[in-house]
Amino acid sequence: MSQAITKRPSNRGDAIFAGLARLSGLLVLVLMGGIIVVLFLGGLPAFKQFGAGFLISDDWDPVQNSFGALVPVFGTIVTAVLALIMAVPLAFGIAFYLTELAPLWFRRPVGTAIELLAAVPSIIYGMWGFFVIVPIMAEYVQPFVIDSVGELPWIGAFFQGPPFGTGILTAAMVLAVMIIPFIAATMRDVFDTVPLVFKESAYGLGCTTWEVMRSIVIPYTRVSVVGGIILGLGRALGETMAVTFVIGNTNRIATTIFGPGNTIASLVALEFPESETGSLKLSSLLALGFLLFVISFIVLAISRMLLKPGAKA
Amino acid sequence: MKKTVAMTAMVLAMTAAAGAQAQQITGAGATFPAPVYTKWGEAAKAAIGLELNYQAIGSGGGQNQILQRTVDFGASDAPMAADKLDSGKLLQFPTVMGAVVVIVNIPGVESNQLKISGAVLAEIYAGKITKWNDPKIVEMNKGVTLPSLAIAPVYRADGSGTTFVFASYLSAVSHDWKDKVGAATSVKWPAGAGAKGNDGVSATVRNTKGGIGYVEYAFASQNKLTTVELRNKAGHFVKPEMATFSAAAASGDWAKAQNFAVDLIDRDCATCWPIVSATFIELPKDPKDAARSLNVIKFFDWAYKSGSAMATSLEYIPLPEAVQTAVRAAWHAQIMGPDGKPVY
């Protein structure tokens, strides 16, 4: 594109615009690089002090100045993956219903509602989780499961302990609700892009709605669907406030399904105000931020790899 | 036209008013005393024309900001270490004291019905006592029916002065706690779950059958939470109330305390509540702007003189008279303006 512009040097406006556009593009790279460098330099004292042990240590002891990243990294990945497992089928169902099954007059209000849900600030989800979901979990779900399944031999151990209501499972549930609108909205939009001719041909051959979905719509839109899921995963990985409210904020690896845990974003938000400049704790928090960056990057890279064969088609 | 003139006059008047009351002082730090500082700020604006802009960003943040001199004063719940005060050229003085109380959610147990000793409390938070009908708890509570319910310890997930005070108490009453966990604004909790802020802790305790937590007293009394009696060092069970807090405050050995960092935890007196602590202000000893520094001093001088009732109404304990005098002497002796003369 830039070549086409340089061929017409007489047009000053185009040159200026091209320059500005290039600057904007560069700015993204510079910002991104800047953030990584700042996080890495800030976390350097922690990396130096603990070495590779920082990644595998489950210790987080501000009194002894001993910090490890295992618990928050574990919590971040487990909550995000659990949330995806719950959210993807639901989001798919919503998009499927809206594009193929719902009566036309009904699609617009539901579609708008989903877009609105995506715009709800995360603190609202956090409060909703804390004041609605957590009491339900603590009052009904967890005591019931603990008293019934928890008494069983072998598997009972995974379902024991006090019913706090908060914990990894609750956090994953709230996260799932938060990312459903993102994934559903993306899926609906891309399902709508499938040319009608394709679908009509399939219907003409006698395919059922599900067969059309499976053999025509999904293969056609696979790249964008995975993109939507990654978008949701990205939000789940970095979500802070909503998770902080409901995860139980404990720096131990949970041994039961209701056990409390912690995520990187949540831990950083909670501990940051009480960390002194130059302290090892602050450095460890910045190192955690760097790790979150790395995790997001790996997720992105994996999604790119998954998409490769499809991208050619 | 008339309207425009009137508007201009109004704007001018407002600007003039703002100019007249431009005596603003800024502070940042501890969240625990934030309600009383805010109330003092409002009252002082009317009384002595000083406007306080206080940001409750946490004790650690407050210490950072005053070390970098981005605010007029810093505030922290835990006293700053003596060497840090020296290297940062800071004077530290207390403003008010507050108590931390223990709250529970056990079906059938009313406020101040349950009695616990510090050692048992430490074992609960260490995850060693896990049921409410544990013999150690039953033994202290003859006549109270305790269910076979799992104990759910709840703690502050965010770094906070309240945690520092509570963990200091557990360290004072349990060697095991002192060796394995210790005290800081956040610690490595051996058991339980965390919640954000006083409101988070109290809501989690309220939601969780068998829950136990710790909050500032003001929060417990305003929200009518179920508190427990604690056994103090003298061996008496005491209720969490103003009288027992004041007894603890009065028992402190202020004269000997370095930088006013008095220890009010677990005092050896019959009527003392065991978890009481002072909250502190850090003020530069070498202010660049003597007038601003004087305004800060004036503000707290006024708060000592006229702010006690406001502090008590918010369930804080005002400083004893003798300590106030000692603080005034320290202001005069240690805070020097750029010209080398005392600011106050």
Side-chain angles (χ1 to χ4, degrees), chain A residues 15 32 34 48 59 63 85 141-142 161 179 199 204 232 256 266 275 280 301 311:
Chain A
M32 170 99 173
K48 269 189 188 150
D59 205 20
V63 182
I85 291 173
V141 181
Q142 294 187 357
I179 61 176
K199 289 201 267 184
T256 76
S266 169
S275 307
L280 202 55

Side-chain angles (χ1 to χ4, degrees), chain B residues 10-236:
Chain B
M10 233 173 81
V11 170
L12 276 177
M14 273 162 71
T15 328
Q21 48 162 252
Q23 304 276 46
Q24 214 190 45
I25 50 176
T26 56
T31 48
F32 166 63
V36 67
Y37 291 172
T38 312
K39 195 153 190 182
W40 281 349
E42 282 164 15
K45 198 173 160 186
I48 53 172
L50 283 178
E51 196 178 344
L52 172 66
N53 177 0
Y54 183 72
Q55 296 176 342
I57 55 170
S59 299
Q63 294 183 2
N64 289 344
Q65 297 232 332
I66 191 60
L67 285 171
Q68 291 159 6
R69 303 288 197 266
T70 48
V71 286
D72 294 331
F73 68 88
S76 75
D77 289 331
M80 243 168 127
D83 56 329
K84 246 180 135 179
L85 284 170
D86 280 345
S87 66
K89 292 208 175 68
L90 294 173
L91 170 68
Q92 172 177 275
F93 59 90
T95 49
V96 289
M97 287 162 285
V100 175
V101 301
V102 177
I103 55 170
V104 292
N105 173 5
I106 311 167
V109 172
E110 311 267 311
S111 214
N112 296 338
Q113 209 180 12
L114 192 74
K115 294 180 170 69
I116 297 185
S117 71
V120 166
L121 191 63
E123 283 190 55
I124 287 176
Y125 267 91
K128 285 178 192 149
I129 297 180
T130 56
K131 292 269 180 185
W132 278 114
N133 61 355
D134 189 282
K136 281 184 188 166
I137 304 177
V138 172
E139 185 199 328
M140 285 173 215
N141 292 281
K142 302 259 158 64
V144 183
T145 349
L146 289 165
S148 165
L149 192 65
I151 302 181
V154 183
Y155 51 82
R156 284 284 289 271
D158 47 333
S160 84
T162 314
T163 296
F164 173 78
V165 173
F166 185 70
S168 300
Y169 170 64
L170 293 184
S171 298
V173 293
S174 160
H175 281 293
D176 221 30
W177 187 274
K178 196 176 180 183
D179 293 342
K180 287 188 185 140
V181 185
T185 50
S186 59
V187 300
K188 189 186 175 186
W189 297 97
K196 195 175 181 312
N198 279 306
D199 40 357
V201 169
S202 72
T204 306
V205 170
R206 199 165 44 228
N207 287 340
T208 315
K209 280 200 183 102
I212 181 168
Y214 59 91
V215 292
E216 284 140 26
Y217 176 66
F219 203 84
S221 83
Q222 280 155 18
N223 295 289
K224 310 243 175 326
L225 305 174
T226 310
T227 52
V228 304
E229 289 190 8
L230 284 182
R231 186 158 71 192
N232 61 22
K233 202 171 187 177
H236 297 273

Side-chain angles (χ1 to χ4, degrees), chain A residues 58-64 130-131 134-135 138-139 161-166 241 244-245 247-252 260 269-277 281-282, chain B residues 57-61 63-64 68 84 150-155 157-160 181 183-196 200 203-204 207-209:
Chain A
D58 65 350
D59 205 20
W60 187 270
D61 190 339
V63 182
Q64 306 292 338
F130 190 71
F131 289 112
V134 168
E139 190 78 20
F164 281 111
T166 53
M241 278 328 287
T244 303
F245 269 84
I247 195 164
N249 310 299
T250 300
N251 295 315
R252 298 184 298 272
L270 286 170
E271 298 271 9
F272 201 72
E274 288 293 340
S275 307
E276 288 151 33
T277 346
K281 185 170 159 191
L282 187 65
Chain B
I57 55 170
S59 299
Q63 294 183 2
N64 289 344
Q68 291 159 6
K84 246 180 135 179
I151 302 181
V154 183
Y155 51 82
D158 47 333
S160 84
V181 185
T185 50
S186 59
V187 300
K188 189 186 175 186
W189 297 97
K196 195 175 181 312
T204 306
N207 287 340
T208 315
K209 280 200 183 102

Side-chain angles (χ1 to χ4, degrees), chain B residues 27 38 41 46 62 67-68 111 118 157 167 215 234 247 289 298-299 302 313 332:
Chain B
T38 312
L67 285 171
Q68 291 159 6
S111 214
V215 292
D289 186 342
K298 271 185 187 160
F299 176 82
W302 171 86
S313 75
H332 179 72

Side-chain angles (χ1 to χ4, degrees), chain B residues 226-307:
Chain B
T226 310
T227 52
V228 304
E229 289 190 8
L230 284 182
R231 186 158 71 192
N232 61 22
K233 202 171 187 177
H236 297 273
F237 283 103
V238 282
K239 281 192 179 66
E241 57 192 13
M242 229 28 178
T244 56
F245 305 156
S246 303
S251 77
D253 194 355
W254 293 92
K256 274 194 194 145
Q258 196 192 4
N259 298 318
F260 296 103
V262 72
D263 184 15
L264 299 175
I265 300 278
D266 202 29
R267 302 294 302 174
D268 190 5
C269 83
T271 55
C272 284
W273 179 254
I275 326 179
V276 174
S277 163
T279 181
F280 300 90
I281 296 290
E282 287 93 31
L283 198 57
K285 285 180 183 173
D286 57 343
K288 279 198 209 85
D289 186 342
R292 279 185 89 91
S293 178
L294 182 60
N295 279 340
V296 176
I297 294 174
K298 271 185 187 160
F299 176 82
F300 285 106
D301 183 46
W302 171 86
Y304 282 164
K305 274 184 209 143
S306 329

Side-chain angles (χ1 to χ4, degrees), chain A residues 89-161:
Chain A
L90 267 169
F92 177 77
I94 293 170
F96 185 35
Y97 175 73
L98 280 182
T99 51
E100 301 294 330
L101 303 173
L104 278 178
W105 61 268
F106 195 57
R107 292 182 188 186
R108 187 177 279 270
V110 174
T112 313
I114 287 172
E115 277 155 22
L116 273 177
L117 273 180
V120 172
S122 60
I123 185 87
I124 306 290
Y125 282 109
M127 282 159 66
W128 167 76
F130 190 71
F131 289 112
V132 180
I133 301 297
V134 168
I136 292 176
M137 294 289 284
E139 190 78 20
Y140 305 106
V141 181
Q142 294 187 357
F144 174 74
V145 177
I146 289 166
D147 287 344
S148 53
V149 189
E151 300 292 320
L152 297 176
W154 300 102
I155 59 160
F158 293 106
F159 299 93
Q160 282 170 357

